[in-house]
Structure formats: C-alpha cells, structure tokens
Amino acid sequence: MTDSNVTQLLDRFARGDDSAREELFQIVYQDLKRLSQKALAGRQNRTLQPTALVHEAYLRLVKQEQDYKNRSHFFSIAGLLIRRILVDDARARMTRKRGAGEEAVPLSETLIGVEDEWVDVLDLHASLEKLEAADPQAARVVEMRYFAGLGNEDVAEVLGVSLRSVVRLWAFAKAFLYQELEKGEPHE
Amino acid sequence: MSDSPLDPRGKARQIFYEALELDGVEREEFLTRACRQSPEVAKEVRGLLSALDRTRDFLEEPVVQIADESALVGTDLKDYRVLEHLATGGMGSVYLARQKSPPRDVALKVLRLPWPRTSVVRRFEWEAEVLGRLQHPGIARIYEAGAAQTAIGLVPFLAMEFIRGQEITEFVRARSLPARELILLFREVCLAVHHAHQKGVLHRDLKPSNLLVDEAGKPKVLDFGVARSLVRDDPRLTTQTLVGQLIGTLPYMSPEQVRGDSDLDVSSDIYSLGVVLYELLTERLPYDPREENLPEMTRCICEEEPIPMSRIATSVSPDLEVIVQKALRKERGLRYPSAEAFADDLHRALNDQPVRARRLTKVYLARKFVRRHTGLVGGVTLAVVALALAAVISVHERWQADAARHAAVQSAESRRTVNEILMGLIRASEPGSALDLARAREQTVEDALDRLLPTIEGGEYSREVCAPLHALAARVYQRLGRLEDAERHNQLGLELNRELYGEAHLDTAATMLMEGALHYERMRFAEALAVFERCSDVLDGVVEPEHPIQLALANDLATLYQHEGQLPEAEVLFRQALKLRQSVLSEESPDLATAYHNLGSFLLETGRLGESETLLRAGWRIRQQVFHERHPDTLSSIQAMGTLLSKQGKYQGAVDLLNPALEILEQDLGPHHHWTLVTKDLLAGLHSMLGQWRSAFELARDVAWAPPETMSVYQPIRGHSLMIIAQWHVEEGRADHGEKVLRQAYHVAIHGMPRNEELVKGVGLLLEESWAGTNGLWSEEQHSVTRQEIESGKGILPWPPLDDRIAILASSGELEHATQLLRDLLEIDGGAQTRSPRQRIELRQEYAQCLLALEELELAELEFLEAYDESVDTFGGNHPQVLSLLFDLTTCYAALGDSDQADEYRAQLVQTYGVERSGSNKLP
C-alpha cells in the first residue's frame, strides 16, 4: 500500500467509482486494526479513541496535501470505520464483562451521545441496520454526519445528491432511529 | 428508493418530507389532506414527525467532528466577528476575529470536542476564568471562554490576545539568531512559564506552535492550561486521545505524559521546554524514531537517551549540552526543580559561571558507573577485608608464641607467682577462661588488668614475674584494640627480658615478635620488617625450624610480604608453615587450623577461590570442634567464609553467615574494635550489592564515623565505607552530598595507610566518572586541576565532616542526634567564634528547626528569637534570612498555640515581604 495508491483510490471514489470505495475501506480498516493493536500492545485497560485512530490513519495514509473533496470522501469512509470500531469495542467490553462474572458494565463505557441522552452503541447499531434495510442512503447519511462529523454539503457531495435531499434524509433517519430506540428492544 | 404510490411506507416518506417544509397550522392542514385515504400512512407520518420533534439534539453531536474551517468566517460568534481562518490544529481551529467591545483583534480558538457536554463547557469556562488571571508580558492573555451556537453547531471557544508573530523556531531560523541571543530569548520563555507555575497552572502542551515571538521580538506563550481544562475528568478525552489527535505535539511530551500519568507537575513542562531548546539549538528533535508512528515514538520518548547535541551541531557548548540533558531527564526528579532554575542555569552558562546541571550530571553518571561496575566496587571491599583479616590472624599467632614463652619461664617461684596472679585474674572475671576474649569485653579481664598493673609497676614483684605479666597485658590490650597500652607494656616486657635473658632467648624473641606485630598494626611497616628480620636471626640460633614460634614468625613475615605486595615470597612462607605443621601436628590441632586458615585467606585475596575454599573449610572444621562459637578463631573462620561467599557472588549467604558473627563481635569486643568495624564494612558492601541501601548506609556510617584512633591499620575500610555512603546519597537523590563524601573517600584512599591501590582506583574511577571526564564534558585541564586539588587535600572538608553528618542525620530521621551535634557546635563556636555571623545564624536556625521538629517548642522559640535578633542586627530588616526566620517564628508560635504572637509575626512577614518584593521581586 502506498500513498499514491490511496490517493488514486480516493480520486476514483470521488469520481463516483463505488468499487474504489470498497477497496479503500479495506485498506484503511486493515491499517487501523494494525495501528490499534500496536498502540494497545502492552497497555492494559487503555483504549485508543477512534477519533484519534482515524485522524492518525488519515495522516498516515494521506501524507501529501489532498484537495478538500478527497478529504470528505476519506472521512465518509471513516464514518463507517468509526461505527465499526465502536461496535467492536462495545461488544468486546460486553463479552469481557460477562466473562468476568459479577462485575457490572459501567454505563459510560458502551454509551455515546450527549449528556442526559446516552445512546447504547449496540442499540444504535441494531437500529441502523433496520434503517439500512428501509433506506440505505439514509443510513449512509447517519454514518457520515454522526460518525464522521461531515457537514451536509460534504455529505451531498459524496452521495451525489442535493443538499435538500440530505436535509430530508437526515430528518427521516433521526426520526426513524429515535422511534426504534424508543421501542426499547434490547440489542442481540 | 422507489416511491411507488402503492407502497404505503414510500408514500408516508414522501408526505413526511413535504410536511417538513411546513409549520404549525399549514402542516396540520397538509397532513389531513394528504393522508385522508389511508389512516395507516397517517399514523406512520405522524409517528415520524412527532419522533423528530422529540429528538432535539439526538445524533447532532458527531462522534468525530471535522468542522469546515471556512464555515465560520464572516459570521458572528457572540461578541466577535470572525474575520479570517488562521490555522487548524488537533483540538480545533483558530480564527482572527474582531471584538466589538472593547474593540480589539482577538485570536478566537474554536475547539473541536468529540462530545461537547454542558458540564465540560461549564468547567472549561471556570478554568478559563482562572487562566484569565495569568498576567505576564510573556503569556498571551485569555479574555473569555464559553460556548456559542454557530453555523456548525454548539462550539466551545476561547478568545485570546492576538499575537502577530512567528513561531519561535521560525523566528530563530529566519534570523539565524546567534546562540547567545537565542538563549536570552528562550530564558524569557522559561520565566513566563515559571510565572504560571507559581500561580499553579501547568501548560501541558508546550511546543513551538504555542511559542510565538511578536513583532517587538518578545516571546509569548499561548494556550496556557488549555490542554488540562479540556481533558480533566473526561474519560473519553484521555491523554491517549490527545496523543492521537496531536501527533505534532508528541515529540514535545514528557515520558510521564506519554505514558498517560495523571499526576503531572512542573517537571513535565520543563521537559517540553528542554525539547524546544534542543530543537532551537540543533533544528532537530532529540530522538530519531525508526518509524513515524505512535508506538515507536512513544517508546523513544520513554526509553531512548536523547542524541547528544554535539553530534549534530558542533557549535553547541558543553554547558548547554548538560543543561538540555538535565531538562530532558527521563526521571522527573532529576530535571530542574523549576523553570526559573532552568533559566538561571542558562544565565550562568551565558556568563561562563559553572552551571548547576553539571553537578547533578556527574553523580548521575557516577550512579550509572556504579551499576556497571558493581563487581569492581565489590572487589575493592573484599581485598580490603582480606587484608584486615590477615592482620588479625597474624595477631592471633601471638597466642602460640606466648604459650611457648610461658613454658620458658624458668624460675619455679616466678612461675608460681605468675600463676597466682593469673588465677586472681580468672577469679575476677566471669566463669570460664580468663583469656577467653568472648568474655573480655564484659569489662572483667580489662578491669582486673587495669587494677593489677599499677601494683606490678609499683615494684612489688620481681622482674621475672613482671616480664611475663607485661607481655600478657600487651597481648590482652592489643586484642582489646588499646594499642598504645599494648605497646607500652610490651616495651616494658621486652626490656625486662633483655635484661634477664639477653637477646638470644625465646622470651626476648617472643616479645620482639609482638613488637613487630604492633609496628605493623600501627602502620610502621619498615620498622615491623626490621624487627621481624632481627627476630628471625635470633630464633634461628635458639629453636628448631618446627618450633611454634618459628611458625608464628613465618606467618607474620608472610602477612607483611603480602601487604607489601611481595606475593610470591608470602605464598612460599604460608605454604612452608602449613607443610611443617601438617608433618608435626595432629589433625585436631588449633595450630594446624591456623595454618590452613592463613594460606586459605591468602589464596582468597589472590583470587584462587577453589583451593582457598578447601583450606578455609578444613580450618573452620577443626576450630568448630576445638573452640566454642564465640572464640576469636571460630569468628575469624566465619569472616573468611563470608568473604569467600561474597567473592563467589553468594551475597545473601554471606550476610546470613556474618550477621550472627557481628553480633558476637559487638558484644564481646565493642562497637569500635577494628574487627567489628572490618565486619561491618564487609556487611555494608554486601548490603549495597543486594540493593539494601539503608542497611548498607547504617553499617558504613558506623565505620566511617568511628573515632579515627580506632582505625589504625584498617584505614582503607574507612575509605571504602565512605564510598558506600556516597553511593547511598546518590541512590537517595542527594547527589551533592554524594559527591562531597566521595571526595572524602578519595582523600582517605590516597592518604590512608596502608594505601590500597584497588580502593584508590575504584574511588578514583567513580570520581572521574562523576566529573564526567569520560563524556568529554570537562576539558582535560579542568580535570587535572581538580585532581590535583583532591590529591593535595585542598577542597576537602576537615575531618570529621560535621556539617555533612548533621545533614545526613536530619535527613535520615535521626533528629535527636542531629540536634545534639548542633548544640555542641553552637557551644564550641560560642567560645571560639570560628564561624562567620551568617554561618552562626544559620547554625542556630537549623538547631531551632530541629527543636521544633522534636516539639521542644519553648526551646525552639528561644533559639528562633535569638537567631532573629542576630540576623536583624547583622543584615537589617528585610534580608531573606530575616524573612525565613519570621516564617519560622510564625510556625513556632502557631505550634505553641499562641495565635496572637503568630499573627503578629505573620503580619510582620507580610509587611516585610512587601518591602522586599518591591525591592527585588524575590522571596526566599
């Protein structure tokens, strides 16, 4: 894997080539896995935050100046990555805690969100899967906005839709997910 | 996503989207109209809309926020109009903004928080208020902190003094600033950082991008304390997060910061400053990671030594090198205690004054040296001890010689008288053998002898009776370490024997042998050799070569040869003695045991451990059968075995063997007997090698501080014990003391008799390392000057080093002893007035502080008051000494419960402090 490789893939992806997106995702995901294993090796009870990992992955993979368009594309992938990392992490914690027996799972460890409105990562993940079935594009909007922090313009750019569509998709996704979560069906 | 009109969900979605554009009544009308035909769709749409109403902030704060830098430009953020995007860093973006009131340009930092929460923002506001109070020309002011609703959502922001300038690294590079000006500039940075430290604020993120130089050429530190206010207590924002986000910051982080330690202190900032200075001087970073990734860079910071600057930039002076090294220590305790101290040392370096970093560096290196050369240092101990043992054993030979002499007392009457006197001695002592040294220390033999001798000297007995009694007294005193008494009585005995029997007589020869041994013990080696040789001539005509006294002489001569380094001659004599005894004596003979023991000890010292062990064990076995456990011979076997075990690296085994022996020696011979001291020194060395420094120090201290007159032939062990004390100081982080004591050790090693080359070499190497000579940090010239100074004895504290002893005592918790010494010093000085007024005041203050610590409050009060009066008379009212005494008095009265007095002195302190501060801006 070289920088130019990543750059080329980003370019293809930006021009609308979805196979490039998948390839890029695999590269970045493998890289992130290696990175986090290395970073966590020998460190007990420490987690590297996904934010930090993705920023670093970006810096590592794309060392030269990228135009803004490519950056948005990169971070749209990052959204999916972060989602996956958070879910993996939360599952690992649940398994570990259950394996350990009596110890209760501290809320803060698997919850994300703003104060007073915590969302369980795994619940959110399950709801997102339902959303994906109902409307894959809406699910992508959530990934990009919520997990990667992209603005609506960037999302529109990456998805190749109008800004107005993004606003609508986002409203729908929020309403859909909120309803799902309110139903309170526990994950798994 | 097909919106077939037949699909109720697709239809519901379409209606939902359209309803989004409408509000209130319009929306309600639209919904009623659109869903008229399908209650199912109506339910779906209304469900979605009402859920959306309830979502509020749901999912609005992204996990990762990649803010669009340009989004804020041209908008208003509270009171600020955002003008221009300046930079984006790991934690957010910085904009140039114009404040409306007061009208001014500010740097607006909009922070990127993955999870902005109201509690984080509130704490952030509060911390910023504290930071806002940092007012120093070298620190960028923080005007306001808060959170504001913007185009990109709710963002926390900081409004700071806008500095138009360059990063310090660019500034220096662009102007090719000469080293001197660079240092002056950097000193100002240190002083600004120090100001904040004094206000209790750490920076935690010092790096070139936070150190700007403004248009007037003045440095400004940005973002003070920002890192902390963001990360504290938020489990998601650990230091690890920041490590990832701020990859550009990583090289400036201290090892403890990189490790994620939570208890950072000023030394972490000092480390970061050290990295910046390194970079300014060399245009490079101190480490060269193999890969540019997090784990590798982290490893470098925590483990690798910085690349010496001299290797990169030849122009960097050795002083600057050690200063930067000191700031970059991995162990935070070894860095500068404050940014001010760092600045001070830079100032010294500029003015060609000796820098403080040097002193610590030396001992730091010495410490590493000690670790590398533990074997050698141990070897010195063992050689010294083996030597001392040999001397002890030679003395022991006297017992056999005396036995022979007793047999030679010719007159029956004299023999009876001698016997009666000896019987009297026996009765006066504990049950058991009168000559048994195991009991000797219990005062009885010694007391009896002390009482008896005046009668002998009073002329009551004949010369025939007196001669052997003097010889006996000499022997006992010698064993008790009273060498002068021993010499006096031996001289009397020798004279009587010469008068009675002439030179060529066994009795005369035996007292000569003792004379030689005493010369040896008092380090008169030439005299000792002369006496032994004359004695040898005499004996050859009197007794056969197998006679015990011949064997004793062979042993003494061999010991002397050994001491003089004539090892082959010594070995021949030791082997001869053993061979003769093996042929003459039975397997159980103590004399044979002695011969085994002596040759074994000789081989031990010359490193032939295998043969030595066989011989020593053979000797020990006989002695265990013949003598009891407290017998000197048994003890000397145990000592030799202990030495052997330590040479074999079995330190713990040696300690276990020697500890009981030491107990017996202390009880029977007393704490200052040379034999006790030799054993203590040996044990001190063993404990030091086991890393048990406290025990090592306590034992070594007893040896080093024993009254000098008790040391006699064993002076090298004092040098060795001092060396152990020096190492202990270094281990405890008192490097200054360590070096001082090391100098004393060197002095003793050079001048002490007998001169032990291994000790001289060992201590010398330690000192050389400690002067950093091998690192090229000292010039050859500086080095040789200091060496001469040491060798000539200049710069060495007068013996005993009382001030040092007090400091050690106080720091090791032995306050009462320290207090006693201080009181004595004050009394002595009261008469002699040898100290300067300042020294006397300091002494009294130290004494009072000890008293205070011992809760002798009334006494402390008196002494503080006296010191206070003296210092006011001597220095005037606002001298730092006076201030520190005012402080002491406040503390003292508070301890006494006299709050009125405490308040009065505190008020005076504040008043004086004000005077002082306006004068020199400095408080002690």
Side-chain angles (χ1 to χ4, degrees), chain B residues 199-260:
Chain B
K199 303 271 169 188
V201 182
L202 298 184
H203 192 294
R204 288 161 194 263
D205 192 21
L206 286 165
K207 55 185 173 181
S209 62
N210 278 333
L211 301 171
L212 299 189
V213 182
D214 69 13
E215 287 163 330
K218 289 285 162 199
K220 293 269 190 180
V221 184
L222 309 185
D223 282 7
F224 234 104
V226 171
R228 177 186 174 84
S229 55
L230 291 179
V231 300
R232 198 169 69 181
D233 299 339
D234 190 330
R236 290 164 209 287
L237 279 167
T238 61
T239 310
Q240 286 298 325
T241 316
L242 294 175
V243 169
Q245 285 186 335
L246 312 177
I247 195 144
T249 303
L250 191 62
Y252 303 93
M253 285 186 166
S254 65
E256 60 269 26
Q257 218 172 353
V258 168
R259 279 192 302 266

Side-chain angles (χ1 to χ4, degrees), chain B residues 825-854:
Chain B
L825 272 182
L826 276 170
E827 264 173 39
I828 294 166
D829 197 63
Q833 301 273 326
T834 50
R835 281 159 204 270
S836 71
R838 189 199 181 102
Q839 285 174 320
R840 201 164 49 241
I841 290 164
E842 281 173 355
L843 203 61
R844 193 174 297 284
Q845 187 179 11
E846 210 174 326
Y847 175 49
Q849 283 167 345
C850 281
L851 289 170
L852 185 63
L854 288 170

Side-chain angles (χ1 to χ4, degrees), chain A residues 35 38-39 43 46-52 55-56 59-60 68 71 75 82 86 108 111-115 117-119 124 134-135 137 142 145-151 154 164 167-172 174-179 181-182, chain B residues 1 9 13-14 16-18 20-21 44 47-48 51-52 54-69 112 114-119 122 235-238 240-241 244-245 247 258-261 291-295 298:
Chain A
L35 193 67
K38 245 172 140 179
R43 257 170 260 229
R46 290 268 169 83
T47 52
L48 253 186
Q49 298 295 335
T51 319
H55 275 281
E56 203 192 333
L59 290 168
R60 282 159 54 87
Y68 192 71
R71 219 171 87 99
F75 279 101
I82 291 168
L86 286 174
S108 61
L111 298 183
I112 51 175
V114 290
E115 197 176 26
E117 285 194 68
W118 298 105
V119 178
L124 181 65
D135 186 341
Q137 217 167 20
V142 174
R145 274 204 56 137
Y146 180 64
F147 287 104
L150 290 190
D154 297 327
R164 185 161 169 246
V167 173
R168 286 173 162 190
L169 284 166
W170 177 236
F172 170 66
K174 282 212 302 181
F176 181 94
L177 293 172
Y178 202 84
Q179 273 184 321
L181 289 168
E182 273 185 330
Chain B
M1 184 173 57
R9 289 206 126 191
R13 182 93 62 84
Q14 202 53 50
F16 170 74
Y17 285 156
E18 283 177 42
L20 284 178
E21 320 266 324
E44 176 93 20
L48 283 170
L52 188 61
R54 277 175 278 127
T55 56
R56 290 191 310 263
D57 286 343
F58 175 61
L59 301 185
E60 286 297 340
E61 299 299 340
V63 174
V64 178
Q65 195 166 2
I66 296 131
D68 180 351
E69 286 89 357
R112 179 194 299 142
W115 292 275
R117 290 185 289 161
T118 45
S119 64
R122 265 199 304 275
R236 290 164 209 287
L237 279 167
T238 61
Q240 286 298 325
T241 316
Q245 285 186 335
I247 195 144
V258 168
R259 279 192 302 266
D261 292 359
E291 290 172 68
E292 280 210 356
N293 65 34
L294 207 62
T298 305

